[in-house]
PDB file of all heavy atoms in Angstrom:
ATOM      1  N   PRO A  57     -11.480 -22.717   6.121  1.00 96.00           N
ATOM      2  CA  PRO A  57     -10.219 -21.984   6.253  1.00 96.00           C
ATOM      3  C   PRO A  57     -10.343 -20.908   7.338  1.00 96.00           C
ATOM      4  O   PRO A  57     -11.362 -20.224   7.400  1.00 96.00           O
ATOM      5  CB  PRO A  57     -10.032 -21.331   4.879  1.00 96.00           C
ATOM      6  CG  PRO A  57     -10.936 -22.057   3.950  1.00 96.00           C
ATOM      7  CD  PRO A  57     -12.058 -22.597   4.772  1.00 96.00           C
ATOM      8  N   PRO A  58      -9.324 -20.765   8.185  1.00 95.00           N
ATOM      9  CA  PRO A  58      -9.389 -19.766   9.252  1.00 95.00           C
ATOM     10  C   PRO A  58      -9.128 -18.344   8.751  1.00 95.00           C
ATOM     11  O   PRO A  58      -9.044 -17.424   9.538  1.00 95.00           O
ATOM     12  CB  PRO A  58      -8.286 -20.211  10.227  1.00 95.00           C
ATOM     13  CG  PRO A  58      -7.437 -21.157   9.476  1.00 95.00           C
ATOM     14  CD  PRO A  58      -8.172 -21.641   8.269  1.00 95.00           C
ATOM     15  N   PHE A  59      -8.963 -18.163   7.455  1.00 95.00           N
ATOM     16  CA  PHE A  59      -8.754 -16.824   6.882  1.00 95.00           C
ATOM     17  C   PHE A  59      -9.452 -16.782   5.537  1.00 95.00           C
ATOM     18  O   PHE A  59      -9.832 -17.827   4.986  1.00 95.00           O
ATOM     19  CB  PHE A  59      -7.258 -16.521   6.726  1.00 95.00           C
ATOM     20  CG  PHE A  59      -6.503 -17.621   6.034  1.00 95.00           C
ATOM     21  CD1 PHE A  59      -6.449 -17.687   4.656  1.00 95.00           C
ATOM     22  CD2 PHE A  59      -5.885 -18.631   6.769  1.00 95.00           C
ATOM     23  CE1 PHE A  59      -5.787 -18.723   4.010  1.00 95.00           C
ATOM     24  CE2 PHE A  59      -5.214 -19.675   6.125  1.00 95.00           C
ATOM     25  CZ  PHE A  59      -5.168 -19.716   4.749  1.00 95.00           C
ATOM     26  N   TYR A  60      -9.622 -15.553   5.016  1.00 95.00           N
ATOM     27  CA  TYR A  60     -10.328 -15.394   3.749  1.00 95.00           C
ATOM     28  C   TYR A  60      -9.344 -15.474   2.593  1.00 95.00           C
ATOM     29  O   TYR A  60      -8.390 -14.703   2.531  1.00 95.00           O
ATOM     30  CB  TYR A  60     -11.058 -14.046   3.726  1.00 95.00           C
ATOM     31  CG  TYR A  60     -11.737 -13.774   2.399  1.00 95.00           C
ATOM     32  CD1 TYR A  60     -12.873 -14.479   2.025  1.00 95.00           C
ATOM     33  CD2 TYR A  60     -11.217 -12.835   1.510  1.00 95.00           C
ATOM     34  CE1 TYR A  60     -13.486 -14.257   0.798  1.00 95.00           C
ATOM     35  CE2 TYR A  60     -11.831 -12.600   0.281  1.00 95.00           C
ATOM     36  CZ  TYR A  60     -12.962 -13.316  -0.059  1.00 95.00           C
ATOM     37  OH  TYR A  60     -13.557 -13.090  -1.274  1.00 95.00           O
ATOM     38  N   GLU A  61      -9.564 -16.419   1.707  1.00 95.00           N
ATOM     39  CA  GLU A  61      -8.745 -16.511   0.493  1.00 95.00           C
ATOM     40  C   GLU A  61      -9.653 -17.063  -0.605  1.00 95.00           C
ATOM     41  O   GLU A  61     -10.110 -18.206  -0.502  1.00 95.00           O
ATOM     42  CB  GLU A  61      -7.534 -17.431   0.729  1.00 95.00           C
ATOM     43  CG  GLU A  61      -6.619 -17.622  -0.483  1.00 95.00           C
ATOM     44  CD  GLU A  61      -5.992 -16.320  -0.998  1.00 95.00           C
ATOM     45  OE1 GLU A  61      -5.547 -15.485  -0.178  1.00 95.00           O
ATOM     46  OE2 GLU A  61      -5.978 -16.134  -2.226  1.00 95.00           O
ATOM     47  N   PRO A  62      -9.930 -16.251  -1.630  1.00 95.00           N
ATOM     48  CA  PRO A  62     -10.865 -16.698  -2.675  1.00 95.00           C
ATOM     49  C   PRO A  62     -10.447 -18.044  -3.270  1.00 95.00           C
ATOM     50  O   PRO A  62      -9.273 -18.245  -3.588  1.00 95.00           O
ATOM     51  CB  PRO A  62     -10.780 -15.586  -3.729  1.00 95.00           C
ATOM     52  CG  PRO A  62     -10.307 -14.372  -2.972  1.00 95.00           C
ATOM     53  CD  PRO A  62      -9.422 -14.891  -1.883  1.00 95.00           C
ATOM     54  N   GLY A  63     -11.399 -18.952  -3.397  1.00 97.00           N
ATOM     55  CA  GLY A  63     -11.143 -20.257  -4.027  1.00 97.00           C
ATOM     56  C   GLY A  63     -10.635 -21.324  -3.078  1.00 97.00           C
ATOM     57  O   GLY A  63     -10.698 -22.512  -3.386  1.00 97.00           O
ATOM     58  N   LEU A  64     -10.128 -20.911  -1.905  1.00 98.00           N
ATOM     59  CA  LEU A  64      -9.574 -21.918  -0.988  1.00 98.00           C
ATOM     60  C   LEU A  64     -10.635 -22.875  -0.435  1.00 98.00           C
ATOM     61  O   LEU A  64     -10.400 -24.091  -0.391  1.00 98.00           O
ATOM     62  CB  LEU A  64      -8.774 -21.249   0.150  1.00 98.00           C
ATOM     63  CG  LEU A  64      -8.170 -22.215   1.176  1.00 98.00           C
ATOM     64  CD1 LEU A  64      -7.259 -23.254   0.539  1.00 98.00           C
ATOM     65  CD2 LEU A  64      -7.408 -21.459   2.267  1.00 98.00           C
ATOM     66  N   PRO A  65     -11.830 -22.380  -0.033  1.00 98.00           N
ATOM     67  CA  PRO A  65     -12.820 -23.330   0.488  1.00 98.00           C
ATOM     68  C   PRO A  65     -13.109 -24.454  -0.510  1.00 98.00           C
ATOM     69  O   PRO A  65     -13.218 -25.623  -0.128  1.00 98.00           O
ATOM     70  CB  PRO A  65     -14.068 -22.464   0.717  1.00 98.00           C
ATOM     71  CG  PRO A  65     -13.534 -21.078   0.921  1.00 98.00           C
ATOM     72  CD  PRO A  65     -12.304 -20.974   0.055  1.00 98.00           C
ATOM     73  N   GLU A  66     -13.175 -24.115  -1.788  1.00 98.00           N
ATOM     74  CA  GLU A  66     -13.491 -25.119  -2.820  1.00 98.00           C
ATOM     75  C   GLU A  66     -12.361 -26.148  -2.956  1.00 98.00           C
ATOM     76  O   GLU A  66     -12.612 -27.355  -2.950  1.00 98.00           O
ATOM     77  CB  GLU A  66     -13.728 -24.446  -4.183  1.00 98.00           C
ATOM     78  CG  GLU A  66     -15.002 -23.587  -4.254  1.00 98.00           C
ATOM     79  CD  GLU A  66     -14.875 -22.203  -3.598  1.00 98.00           C
ATOM     80  OE1 GLU A  66     -13.760 -21.860  -3.152  1.00 98.00           O
ATOM     81  OE2 GLU A  66     -15.892 -21.482  -3.517  1.00 98.00           O
ATOM     82  N   VAL A  67     -11.104 -25.690  -3.062  1.00 98.00           N
ATOM     83  CA  VAL A  67     -10.015 -26.671  -3.231  1.00 98.00           C
ATOM     84  C   VAL A  67      -9.809 -27.480  -1.954  1.00 98.00           C
ATOM     85  O   VAL A  67      -9.454 -28.664  -1.999  1.00 98.00           O
ATOM     86  CB  VAL A  67      -8.663 -26.043  -3.692  1.00 98.00           C
ATOM     87  CG1 VAL A  67      -8.735 -25.546  -5.119  1.00 98.00           C
ATOM     88  CG2 VAL A  67      -8.161 -24.970  -2.780  1.00 98.00           C
ATOM     89  N   LEU A  68     -10.076 -26.856  -0.816  1.00 98.00           N
ATOM     90  CA  LEU A  68      -9.937 -27.574   0.459  1.00 98.00           C
ATOM     91  C   LEU A  68     -10.985 -28.684   0.551  1.00 98.00           C
ATOM     92  O   LEU A  68     -10.661 -29.830   0.896  1.00 98.00           O
ATOM     93  CB  LEU A  68     -10.077 -26.571   1.618  1.00 98.00           C
ATOM     94  CG  LEU A  68      -9.866 -27.099   3.023  1.00 98.00           C
ATOM     95  CD1 LEU A  68      -8.465 -27.677   3.201  1.00 98.00           C
ATOM     96  CD2 LEU A  68     -10.085 -25.970   4.051  1.00 98.00           C
ATOM     97  N   ASP A  69     -12.229 -28.348   0.210  1.00 98.00           N
ATOM     98  CA  ASP A  69     -13.313 -29.346   0.217  1.00 98.00           C
ATOM     99  C   ASP A  69     -12.964 -30.524  -0.684  1.00 98.00           C
ATOM    100  O   ASP A  69     -13.093 -31.688  -0.294  1.00 98.00           O
ATOM    101  CB  ASP A  69     -14.607 -28.723  -0.331  1.00 98.00           C
ATOM    102  CG  ASP A  69     -15.465 -28.194   0.796  1.00 98.00           C
ATOM    103  OD1 ASP A  69     -15.135 -28.480   1.961  1.00 98.00           O
ATOM    104  OD2 ASP A  69     -16.444 -27.476   0.512  1.00 98.00           O
ATOM    105  N   GLN A  70     -12.521 -30.193  -1.883  1.00 98.00           N
ATOM    106  CA  GLN A  70     -12.190 -31.230  -2.870  1.00 98.00           C
ATOM    107  C   GLN A  70     -11.085 -32.138  -2.329  1.00 98.00           C
ATOM    108  O   GLN A  70     -11.170 -33.371  -2.431  1.00 98.00           O
ATOM    109  CB  GLN A  70     -11.737 -30.531  -4.161  1.00 98.00           C
ATOM    110  CG  GLN A  70     -11.580 -31.456  -5.355  1.00 98.00           C
ATOM    111  CD  GLN A  70     -10.863 -30.757  -6.518  1.00 98.00           C
ATOM    112  OE1 GLN A  70     -10.830 -29.526  -6.596  1.00 98.00           O
ATOM    113  NE2 GLN A  70     -10.294 -31.546  -7.414  1.00 98.00           N
ATOM    114  N   ALA A  71     -10.074 -31.529  -1.702  1.00 98.00           N
ATOM    115  CA  ALA A  71      -8.935 -32.310  -1.195  1.00 98.00           C
ATOM    116  C   ALA A  71      -9.371 -33.202  -0.023  1.00 98.00           C
ATOM    117  O   ALA A  71      -8.974 -34.369   0.059  1.00 98.00           O
ATOM    118  CB  ALA A  71      -7.817 -31.371  -0.763  1.00 98.00           C
ATOM    119  N   LEU A  72     -10.194 -32.656   0.874  1.00 98.00           N
ATOM    120  CA  LEU A  72     -10.648 -33.450   2.022  1.00 98.00           C
ATOM    121  C   LEU A  72     -11.522 -34.609   1.552  1.00 98.00           C
ATOM    122  O   LEU A  72     -11.402 -35.738   2.031  1.00 98.00           O
ATOM    123  CB  LEU A  72     -11.402 -32.569   3.017  1.00 98.00           C
ATOM    124  CG  LEU A  72     -10.553 -31.520   3.759  1.00 98.00           C
ATOM    125  CD1 LEU A  72     -11.442 -30.529   4.512  1.00 98.00           C
ATOM    126  CD2 LEU A  72      -9.572 -32.188   4.722  1.00 98.00           C
ATOM    127  N   GLU A  73     -12.390 -34.316   0.585  1.00 98.00           N
ATOM    128  CA  GLU A  73     -13.278 -35.363   0.070  1.00 98.00           C
ATOM    129  C   GLU A  73     -12.496 -36.488  -0.601  1.00 98.00           C
ATOM    130  O   GLU A  73     -12.910 -37.646  -0.563  1.00 98.00           O
ATOM    131  CB  GLU A  73     -14.261 -34.767  -0.939  1.00 98.00           C
ATOM    132  CG  GLU A  73     -15.615 -34.488  -0.314  1.00 98.00           C
ATOM    133  CD  GLU A  73     -16.487 -33.635  -1.220  1.00 98.00           C
ATOM    134  OE1 GLU A  73     -16.475 -33.869  -2.445  1.00 98.00           O
ATOM    135  OE2 GLU A  73     -17.147 -32.724  -0.676  1.00 98.00           O
ATOM    136  N   SER A  74     -11.379 -36.152  -1.213  1.00 98.00           N
ATOM    137  CA  SER A  74     -10.570 -37.177  -1.893  1.00 98.00           C
ATOM    138  C   SER A  74      -9.954 -38.154  -0.891  1.00 98.00           C
ATOM    139  O   SER A  74      -9.493 -39.227  -1.257  1.00 98.00           O
ATOM    140  CB  SER A  74      -9.449 -36.510  -2.692  1.00 98.00           C
ATOM    141  OG  SER A  74      -8.438 -36.033  -1.803  1.00 98.00           O
ATOM    142  N   GLY A  75      -9.909 -37.743   0.379  1.00 98.00           N
ATOM    143  CA  GLY A  75      -9.300 -38.587   1.406  1.00 98.00           C
ATOM    144  C   GLY A  75      -7.776 -38.495   1.417  1.00 98.00           C
ATOM    145  O   GLY A  75      -7.116 -39.189   2.181  1.00 98.00           O
ATOM    146  N   ARG A  76      -7.222 -37.628   0.559  1.00 98.00           N
ATOM    147  CA  ARG A  76      -5.754 -37.546   0.497  1.00 98.00           C
ATOM    148  C   ARG A  76      -5.172 -36.458   1.394  1.00 98.00           C
ATOM    149  O   ARG A  76      -3.953 -36.323   1.481  1.00 98.00           O
ATOM    150  CB  ARG A  76      -5.309 -37.275  -0.959  1.00 98.00           C
ATOM    151  CG  ARG A  76      -5.455 -38.467  -1.883  1.00 98.00           C
ATOM    152  CD  ARG A  76      -4.795 -38.215  -3.229  1.00 98.00           C
ATOM    153  NE  ARG A  76      -5.427 -37.117  -3.936  1.00 98.00           N
ATOM    154  CZ  ARG A  76      -6.449 -37.243  -4.764  1.00 98.00           C
ATOM    155  NH1 ARG A  76      -6.946 -38.431  -5.029  1.00 98.00           N
ATOM    156  NH2 ARG A  76      -6.978 -36.191  -5.345  1.00 98.00           N
ATOM    157  N   LEU A  77      -6.035 -35.657   2.042  1.00 98.00           N
ATOM    158  CA  LEU A  77      -5.519 -34.545   2.856  1.00 98.00           C
ATOM    159  C   LEU A  77      -5.989 -34.674   4.306  1.00 98.00           C
ATOM    160  O   LEU A  77      -7.179 -34.861   4.573  1.00 98.00           O
ATOM    161  CB  LEU A  77      -6.018 -33.205   2.289  1.00 98.00           C
ATOM    162  CG  LEU A  77      -5.637 -31.953   3.082  1.00 98.00           C
ATOM    163  CD1 LEU A  77      -4.121 -31.761   3.111  1.00 98.00           C
ATOM    164  CD2 LEU A  77      -6.298 -30.710   2.485  1.00 98.00           C
ATOM    165  N   HIS A  78      -5.020 -34.580   5.221  1.00 98.00           N
ATOM    166  CA  HIS A  78      -5.351 -34.599   6.655  1.00 98.00           C
ATOM    167  C   HIS A  78      -4.574 -33.504   7.352  1.00 98.00           C
ATOM    168  O   HIS A  78      -3.554 -33.027   6.844  1.00 98.00           O
ATOM    169  CB  HIS A  78      -5.005 -35.959   7.272  1.00 98.00           C
ATOM    170  CG  HIS A  78      -5.817 -37.064   6.690  1.00 98.00           C
ATOM    171  ND1 HIS A  78      -5.383 -37.797   5.601  1.00 98.00           N
ATOM    172  CD2 HIS A  78      -7.046 -37.534   7.004  1.00 98.00           C
ATOM    173  CE1 HIS A  78      -6.317 -38.678   5.273  1.00 98.00           C
ATOM    174  NE2 HIS A  78      -7.338 -38.543   6.119  1.00 98.00           N
ATOM    175  N   PHE A  79      -5.054 -33.133   8.527  1.00 98.00           N
ATOM    176  CA  PHE A  79      -4.340 -32.133   9.327  1.00 98.00           C
ATOM    177  C   PHE A  79      -4.101 -32.686  10.723  1.00 98.00           C
ATOM    178  O   PHE A  79      -4.913 -33.477  11.232  1.00 98.00           O
ATOM    179  CB  PHE A  79      -5.149 -30.825   9.401  1.00 98.00           C
ATOM    180  CG  PHE A  79      -5.242 -30.119   8.080  1.00 98.00           C
ATOM    181  CD1 PHE A  79      -6.327 -30.333   7.228  1.00 98.00           C
ATOM    182  CD2 PHE A  79      -4.233 -29.262   7.662  1.00 98.00           C
ATOM    183  CE1 PHE A  79      -6.403 -29.702   5.997  1.00 98.00           C
ATOM    184  CE2 PHE A  79      -4.301 -28.620   6.433  1.00 98.00           C
ATOM    185  CZ  PHE A  79      -5.385 -28.843   5.594  1.00 98.00           C
ATOM    186  N   THR A  80      -3.010 -32.256  11.336  1.00 98.00           N
ATOM    187  CA  THR A  80      -2.679 -32.743  12.677  1.00 98.00           C
ATOM    188  C   THR A  80      -1.878 -31.678  13.430  1.00 98.00           C
ATOM    189  O   THR A  80      -1.320 -30.767  12.813  1.00 98.00           O
ATOM    190  CB  THR A  80      -1.843 -34.046  12.595  1.00 98.00           C
ATOM    191  OG1 THR A  80      -1.560 -34.509  13.921  1.00 98.00           O
ATOM    192  CG2 THR A  80      -0.500 -33.820  11.894  1.00 98.00           C
ATOM    193  N   THR A  81      -1.842 -31.801  14.738  1.00 98.00           N
ATOM    194  CA  THR A  81      -0.933 -30.962  15.524  1.00 98.00           C
ATOM    195  C   THR A  81       0.294 -31.778  15.950  1.00 98.00           C
ATOM    196  O   THR A  81       1.177 -31.274  16.633  1.00 98.00           O
ATOM    197  CB  THR A  81      -1.620 -30.448  16.817  1.00 98.00           C
ATOM    198  OG1 THR A  81      -2.149 -31.573  17.511  1.00 98.00           O
ATOM    199  CG2 THR A  81      -2.724 -29.449  16.509  1.00 98.00           C
ATOM    200  N   ASP A  82       0.312 -33.038  15.525  1.00 98.00           N
ATOM    201  CA  ASP A  82       1.346 -33.955  16.004  1.00 98.00           C
ATOM    202  C   ASP A  82       2.527 -34.020  15.018  1.00 98.00           C
ATOM    203  O   ASP A  82       2.442 -34.640  13.960  1.00 98.00           O
ATOM    204  CB  ASP A  82       0.694 -35.345  16.170  1.00 98.00           C
ATOM    205  CG  ASP A  82       1.658 -36.361  16.767  1.00 98.00           C
ATOM    206  OD1 ASP A  82       2.856 -36.023  16.929  1.00 98.00           O
ATOM    207  OD2 ASP A  82       1.206 -37.488  17.046  1.00 98.00           O
ATOM    208  N   MET A  83       3.609 -33.377  15.389  1.00 98.00           N
ATOM    209  CA  MET A  83       4.788 -33.320  14.530  1.00 98.00           C
ATOM    210  C   MET A  83       5.351 -34.711  14.244  1.00 98.00           C
ATOM    211  O   MET A  83       5.811 -34.984  13.129  1.00 98.00           O
ATOM    212  CB  MET A  83       5.829 -32.435  15.231  1.00 98.00           C
ATOM    213  CG  MET A  83       6.885 -31.908  14.348  1.00 98.00           C
ATOM    214  SD  MET A  83       6.280 -30.784  13.072  1.00 98.00           S
ATOM    215  CE  MET A  83       7.146 -29.302  13.483  1.00 98.00           C
TER     216      MET A  83
END
Side-chain angles (χ1 to χ4, degrees):
F59 50 85
Y60 176 72
E61 179 60 42
L64 179 57
E66 292 78 5
V67 290
L68 184 60
D69 266 350
Q70 190 191 339
L72 292 169
E73 261 168 40
S74 74
R76 287 189 297 270
L77 176 63
H78 296 92
F79 292 94
T80 181
T81 53
D82 184 353
M83 199 64 119

